[in-house]
Amino acid sequence: MYKLLVINPNSSEKVTNDMRDLLPQVPGIQYDFYTAPAAAPSEIDGEHAGEVSEAVVYPDLIKRKLLDYDGYLVCCYSDHPLVYSLTQSTNKPILGIMLGSLIYSVSNPRFSKSMILTSTSSWNNTLDKSILKFFKSHSFPQSMARTKSFDINVVNLNNPVVYGEIVKKVQLYLDEEPQVNCVLLGCAGMVGLDSKLAKTFPDVRFIDSVRVSAEILASLVRFETS
């Protein structure tokens, strides 16, 4: 049995509970869940908040002796600095959910073009820069659309009341980018939204970044120990 630590680097217990409820069990894999202490931001809404989050979470993981897992999933949709900090304390696989979703999108030949949908527009430019870093390119890749946002607070993304607003935004962005047939849900707070949107937009694949990254991390852990 492999043990993976699913890290919520913000202090919102709701986000952690949503992931715990909706992340499917994988044979031979045990998921443990971690929520950042109260000193961490309740919502990571940009690079500075990510840095504050890392400064709180990394020493807390060391203090609580949580560095003996077989793999680590950092559940913030960004190039979160915690991913790199963890490499100083463990040689086990570490994966951020943004990287996991991008790996999935580029490995699937059925996708003509992919687009990240994030929570708030404050992330758009930052995530676009991270896309360039991932592709090691100075020009935006043709296989990706520019990042778009719902402009909805992370803790409300799974609220049924706002689903109609989410659908309107998705339709608008798909009309603007008709080649897009893969949407990467760019926030851990969107866990479970993929299945709802798939029913509304059956011709588009919506990727839950936490679920797909958990699957990829489990594969990496098995590969590293094979």
Side-chain angles (χ1 to χ4, degrees), residues 115-155:
M115 176 173 64
I116 294 172
L117 271 179
T118 187
S119 53
T120 62
S121 56
S122 61
W123 274 114
N124 290 9
N125 289 336
T126 299
L127 295 183
D128 282 347
K129 290 177 183 177
S130 296
I131 289 171
L132 293 174
K133 179 181 177 181
F134 173 79
F135 283 94
K136 294 181 171 59
S137 174
H138 295 293
S139 57
F140 213 76
Q142 293 184 349
S143 61
M144 295 291 301
R146 296 277 181 174
T147 301
K148 301 292 193 298
S149 61
F150 290 127
D151 281 320
I152 297 172
N153 185 281
V154 60
V155 298

Side-chain angles (χ1 to χ4, degrees), residues 17-48:
N17 290 336
D18 286 344
M19 292 191 294
R20 182 184 288 110
D21 292 342
L22 294 171
L23 193 61
Q25 289 298 312
V26 178
I29 298 292
Q30 174 185 318
Y31 295 118
D32 289 344
F33 293 83
Y34 167 94
T35 305
S42 60
E43 177 184 1
I44 299 175
D45 56 4
E47 291 179 88
H48 175 68

Side-chain angles (χ1 to χ4, degrees), residues 57-97:
V57 171
Y58 182 54
D60 188 57
L61 292 172
I62 295 173
K63 178 182 177 181
R64 294 172 59 181
K65 299 181 180 179
L66 294 175
L67 295 174
D68 59 349
Y69 281 83
D70 298 303
Y72 299 84
L73 187 64
V74 179
C75 296
C76 173
Y77 202 92
S78 68
D79 190 23
H80 198 285
L82 182 62
V83 171
Y84 305 100
S85 298
L86 285 169
T87 64
Q88 301 173 30
S89 299
T90 179
N91 61 359
K92 299 300 177 63
I94 305 158
L95 187 64
I97 59 174

Side-chain angles (χ1 to χ4, degrees), residues 206-218:
F206 293 87
I207 306 303
D208 185 311
S209 56
V210 176
R211 287 182 60 192
V212 74
S213 298
E215 292 282 0
I216 292 171
L217 179 62

